[in-house]
Coordinates of all heavy atoms in Angstrom, one line a residue:
Chain A
N19 N -66.5 -106.9 5.9 CA -67.2 -106.3 4.8 C -66.2 -105.4 4.0 O -65.1 -105.3 4.4 CB -68.4 -105.5 5.3 CG -68.1 -104.3 6.2 OD1 -67.0 -103.7 6.0 ND2 -68.9 -104.0 7.1
H30 N -52.4 -101.2 7.0 CA -51.1 -102.0 6.6 C -50.1 -101.0 5.9 O -49.0 -101.0 6.3 CB -51.5 -103.2 5.7 CG -50.3 -104.0 5.4 ND1 -49.8 -105.0 6.2 CD2 -49.5 -104.0 4.3 CE1 -48.8 -105.6 5.6 NE2 -48.5 -104.9 4.5
R37 N -42.7 -97.6 9.4 CA -41.5 -98.4 9.8 C -40.3 -98.0 8.8 O -39.2 -98.0 9.2 CB -41.8 -99.9 9.7 CG -40.6 -100.7 10.2 CD -40.8 -102.2 9.8 NE -40.7 -102.5 8.4 CZ -41.6 -103.2 7.7 NH1 -42.7 -103.7 8.3 NH2 -41.5 -103.4 6.5
E38 N -40.6 -97.8 7.6 CA -39.6 -97.7 6.6 C -39.0 -96.3 6.4 O -37.9 -96.1 5.9 CB -40.1 -98.1 5.2 CG -40.4 -99.6 5.1 CD -39.2 -100.4 5.2 OE1 -38.1 -100.0 4.7 OE2 -39.2 -101.6 5.7
H66 N -52.7 -93.3 18.8 CA -51.7 -92.2 18.7 C -51.5 -91.8 17.3 O -51.9 -92.5 16.3 CB -50.3 -92.8 19.2 CG -50.4 -93.3 20.6 ND1 -50.1 -92.5 21.7 CD2 -50.7 -94.5 21.1 CE1 -50.3 -93.2 22.8 NE2 -50.7 -94.4 22.5
K95 N -53.9 -84.0 19.9 CA -52.4 -83.8 20.2 C -51.6 -84.1 19.0 O -50.6 -84.9 19.0 CB -52.0 -84.8 21.3 CG -52.8 -84.5 22.6 CD -52.2 -85.4 23.7 CE -52.7 -85.0 25.1 NZ -54.2 -85.1 25.1
K178 N -53.8 -94.0 -12.0 CA -52.6 -94.7 -12.4 C -51.6 -94.8 -11.3 O -50.5 -95.2 -11.5 CB -51.9 -93.9 -13.5 CG -52.8 -93.4 -14.6 CD -52.9 -94.4 -15.7 CE -54.1 -94.1 -16.6 NZ -54.1 -94.9 -17.7
R180 N -49.5 -95.5 -7.8 CA -49.1 -96.6 -6.9 C -49.4 -96.3 -5.5 O -49.6 -95.1 -5.1 CB -47.6 -96.8 -7.1 CG -47.2 -97.3 -8.5 CD -47.6 -98.7 -8.7 NE -47.0 -99.1 -10.0 CZ -47.7 -99.1 -11.2 NH1 -48.9 -98.6 -11.2 NH2 -47.1 -99.6 -12.3
D195 N -43.0 -94.5 -16.1 CA -42.1 -95.5 -15.6 C -42.3 -95.6 -14.0 O -41.5 -95.0 -13.3 CB -40.7 -95.1 -15.9 CG -39.6 -96.1 -15.5 OD1 -40.1 -97.3 -15.2 OD2 -38.5 -95.8 -15.4
Q196 N -43.3 -96.4 -13.6 CA -43.5 -96.5 -12.2 C -43.1 -97.8 -11.7 O -43.0 -98.8 -12.4 CB -45.0 -96.3 -12.0 CG -45.5 -94.9 -12.4 CD -46.8 -94.6 -11.7 OE1 -46.9 -94.5 -10.5 NE2 -47.9 -94.6 -12.5
E199 N -45.7 -103.1 -8.3 CA -46.3 -103.2 -7.0 C -47.2 -104.5 -6.9 O -48.2 -104.5 -7.5 CB -47.1 -102.0 -6.7 CG -47.0 -101.5 -5.2 CD -47.5 -100.1 -5.1 OE1 -48.7 -99.9 -5.4 OE2 -46.8 -99.2 -4.7
F204 N -43.9 -103.0 -1.5 CA -43.8 -101.7 -2.1 C -42.4 -101.1 -2.2 O -41.5 -101.7 -1.6 CB -44.6 -100.7 -1.1 CG -46.0 -101.3 -0.7 CD1 -46.2 -101.7 0.5 CD2 -47.0 -101.4 -1.7 CE1 -47.4 -102.2 0.9 CE2 -48.2 -101.9 -1.3 CZ -48.4 -102.3 0.0
T206 N -39.8 -99.1 -1.1 CA -39.5 -98.3 0.1 C -38.0 -97.9 0.1 O -37.5 -97.3 1.0 CB -39.8 -99.2 1.4 OG1 -39.2 -100.4 1.2 CG2 -41.3 -99.3 1.6
D207 N -37.3 -98.4 -1.0 CA -35.9 -98.0 -1.1 C -35.8 -96.8 -2.1 O -36.4 -96.9 -3.2 CB -35.0 -99.1 -1.6 CG -35.2 -100.4 -0.7 OD1 -34.4 -100.4 0.2 OD2 -36.1 -101.2 -1.0
L220 N -55.9 -95.1 -1.9 CA -56.0 -95.3 -3.4 C -57.3 -96.1 -3.8 O -57.9 -95.7 -4.7 CB -54.8 -96.0 -3.9 CG -54.3 -95.6 -5.3 CD1 -54.2 -94.1 -5.4 CD2 -53.0 -96.3 -5.6
D221 N -57.6 -97.1 -3.0 CA -58.7 -97.9 -3.5 C -60.1 -97.4 -3.0 O -61.1 -98.1 -3.3 CB -58.5 -99.4 -2.9 CG -57.3 -100.0 -3.5 OD1 -56.8 -99.5 -4.6 OD2 -56.7 -100.9 -2.9
E234 N -67.6 -94.6 11.7 CA -66.6 -94.4 12.7 C -67.0 -93.1 13.5 O -66.4 -92.7 14.5 CB -65.2 -94.2 12.2 CG -64.7 -95.5 11.5 CD -64.3 -96.5 12.5 OE1 -63.8 -96.2 13.6 OE2 -64.4 -97.7 12.2
N284 N -74.3 -89.8 -10.5 CA -73.5 -89.9 -11.8 C -72.8 -88.6 -12.1 O -72.6 -88.3 -13.3 CB -74.4 -90.3 -13.0 CG -74.6 -91.8 -13.0 OD1 -73.7 -92.5 -12.6 ND2 -75.8 -92.2 -13.4
E302 N -53.6 -83.2 -14.4 CA -52.4 -84.0 -14.7 C -51.1 -83.1 -14.8 O -50.0 -83.4 -14.3 CB -52.5 -84.8 -15.9 CG -51.1 -85.5 -16.0 CD -51.2 -86.7 -16.8 OE1 -52.3 -87.1 -17.1 OE2 -50.1 -87.2 -17.2
Chain B
N236 N -74.0 -104.0 2.3 CA -72.8 -104.7 2.3 C -72.6 -105.4 1.0 O -72.5 -106.6 0.9 CB -72.9 -105.8 3.4 CG -71.8 -105.6 4.4 OD1 -70.8 -105.2 4.0 ND2 -72.1 -106.0 5.6
E268 N -71.2 -88.6 -15.3 CA -71.5 -87.8 -16.4 C -70.4 -87.0 -17.0 O -70.2 -86.9 -18.2 CB -72.7 -86.8 -16.0 CG -74.0 -87.4 -16.1 CD -75.1 -86.6 -15.4 OE1 -75.0 -85.3 -15.6 OE2 -76.0 -87.1 -14.8
L294 N -54.8 -90.0 -19.6 CA -53.5 -89.3 -19.6 C -53.1 -88.8 -21.0 O -53.3 -89.5 -22.0 CB -52.4 -90.2 -19.0 CG -52.6 -90.5 -17.6 CD1 -51.5 -91.4 -17.1 CD2 -52.7 -89.2 -16.8
E297 N -50.8 -91.0 -23.1 CA -51.5 -92.2 -23.6 C -52.3 -91.8 -24.8 O -52.3 -92.6 -25.8 CB -52.4 -92.7 -22.6 CG -51.7 -93.3 -21.5 CD -52.7 -94.1 -20.7 OE1 -53.9 -94.3 -21.1 OE2 -52.3 -94.7 -19.7
D305 N -50.1 -97.8 -18.3 CA -50.2 -98.2 -16.9 C -51.5 -98.8 -16.7 O -52.4 -98.8 -17.5 CB -49.9 -97.0 -16.0 CG -49.4 -97.5 -14.7 OD1 -49.9 -98.5 -14.2 OD2 -48.5 -96.8 -14.1
R308 N -57.7 -98.0 -13.2 CA -58.7 -98.7 -12.5 C -60.0 -98.0 -12.7 O -60.1 -96.8 -12.6 CB -58.4 -98.7 -11.0 CG -57.2 -99.6 -10.7 CD -57.0 -99.7 -9.3 NE -56.0 -98.7 -8.8 CZ -55.6 -98.6 -7.6 NH1 -56.0 -99.5 -6.7 NH2 -54.8 -97.7 -7.2
K331 N -44.0 -104.8 -16.1 CA -44.1 -104.5 -14.6 C -45.5 -103.9 -14.2 O -46.0 -104.1 -13.1 CB -42.9 -103.8 -14.1 CG -42.8 -102.4 -14.7 CD -41.5 -101.7 -14.1 CE -41.5 -100.4 -14.8 NZ -40.8 -99.3 -14.1
N332 N -46.0 -103.1 -15.1 CA -47.3 -102.5 -14.8 C -48.4 -103.6 -14.9 O -49.4 -103.5 -14.2 CB -47.6 -101.4 -15.8 CG -46.6 -100.2 -15.7 OD1 -45.9 -100.2 -14.7 ND2 -46.6 -99.3 -16.7
T335 N -48.4 -105.5 -11.8 CA -48.9 -104.7 -10.7 C -50.4 -104.8 -10.8 O -51.1 -105.0 -9.7 CB -48.5 -103.2 -10.9 OG1 -47.1 -103.2 -10.9 CG2 -49.0 -102.3 -9.8
Q459 N -45.0 -106.7 11.6 CA -44.8 -105.4 10.9 C -44.0 -104.5 11.7 O -43.1 -103.8 11.2 CB -46.1 -104.8 10.4 CG -46.1 -104.3 9.0 CD -47.5 -103.7 8.6 OE1 -48.5 -104.0 9.2 NE2 -47.4 -102.9 7.6
E466 N -47.0 -91.6 25.0 CA -47.9 -90.5 25.1 C -49.1 -90.9 25.9 O -49.8 -91.9 25.7 CB -48.3 -90.0 23.7 CG -49.4 -89.0 23.6 CD -48.9 -87.6 23.7 OE1 -47.8 -87.3 23.2 OE2 -49.6 -86.7 24.2
D469 N -49.3 -94.4 28.1 CA -49.7 -95.7 27.4 C -48.5 -96.6 27.6 O -47.4 -96.3 27.1 CB -50.0 -95.4 26.0 CG -50.5 -96.7 25.3 OD1 -50.4 -97.8 25.8 OD2 -51.1 -96.5 24.2
T477 N -50.4 -107.7 9.8 CA -51.6 -108.1 9.1 C -51.6 -109.6 9.0 O -50.7 -110.2 8.6 CB -51.7 -107.5 7.7 OG1 -51.6 -106.0 7.8 CG2 -53.0 -107.8 7.0
F506 N -58.3 -99.6 18.1 CA -58.7 -98.2 18.4 C -60.2 -98.0 17.9 O -60.5 -98.3 16.7 CB -57.8 -97.2 17.7 CG -58.3 -95.8 17.7 CD1 -58.3 -95.0 18.9 CD2 -58.8 -95.2 16.6 CE1 -58.8 -93.7 18.9 CE2 -59.3 -93.9 16.6 CZ -59.3 -93.2 17.8
N507 N -61.0 -97.5 18.7 CA -62.4 -97.3 18.4 C -63.2 -98.5 18.0 O -63.9 -98.5 17.0 CB -62.5 -96.2 17.3 CG -63.9 -95.5 17.3 OD1 -64.5 -95.3 18.3 ND2 -64.4 -95.2 16.1
I520 N -53.9 -105.8 12.6 CA -54.2 -106.0 14.0 C -53.0 -105.7 14.9 O -51.9 -105.5 14.4 CB -54.8 -107.4 14.2 CG1 -55.6 -107.5 15.4 CG2 -53.7 -108.5 14.2 CD1 -57.1 -107.2 15.0
K569 N -31.5 -107.7 -2.5 CA -32.3 -107.7 -1.3 C -33.6 -108.4 -1.6 O -34.2 -108.2 -2.6 CB -32.6 -106.2 -1.0 CG -33.3 -106.1 0.4 CD -33.7 -104.6 0.6 CE -32.6 -103.7 0.9 NZ -33.0 -102.3 1.2
K571 N -37.4 -109.4 -0.3 CA -38.5 -109.0 0.7 C -39.6 -110.1 0.6 O -40.1 -110.4 -0.4 CB -39.1 -107.6 0.2 CG -38.2 -106.4 0.5 CD -38.7 -105.2 -0.2 CE -39.5 -104.3 0.7 NZ -39.8 -103.0 0.0
K576 N -36.8 -108.3 5.4 CA -35.9 -107.9 4.3 C -34.5 -108.6 4.6 O -34.1 -108.5 5.7 CB -35.6 -106.4 4.3 CG -36.7 -105.6 3.8 CD -36.1 -104.2 3.7 CE -37.1 -103.1 3.6 NZ -36.5 -101.8 3.6

Side-chain angles (χ1 to χ4, degrees):
Chain A
N19 66 30
H30 182 85
R37 188 189 68 228
E38 292 292 330
H66 302 270
K95 298 189 174 55
K178 314 275 165 169
R180 296 288 187 265
D195 185 18
Q196 297 200 68
E199 215 166 60
F204 312 109
T206 50
D207 304 273
L220 214 51
D221 298 336
E234 298 285 327
N284 278 326
E302 179 160 347
Chain B
N236 239 329
E268 276 168 39
L294 294 177
E297 289 195 3
D305 204 323
R308 287 186 273 184
K331 60 182 180 157
N332 298 345
T335 302
Q459 223 178 337
E466 172 89 32
D469 188 343
T477 303
F506 168 75
N507 202 36
I520 204 88
K569 188 187 287 186
K571 289 167 98 176
K576 281 192 200 174

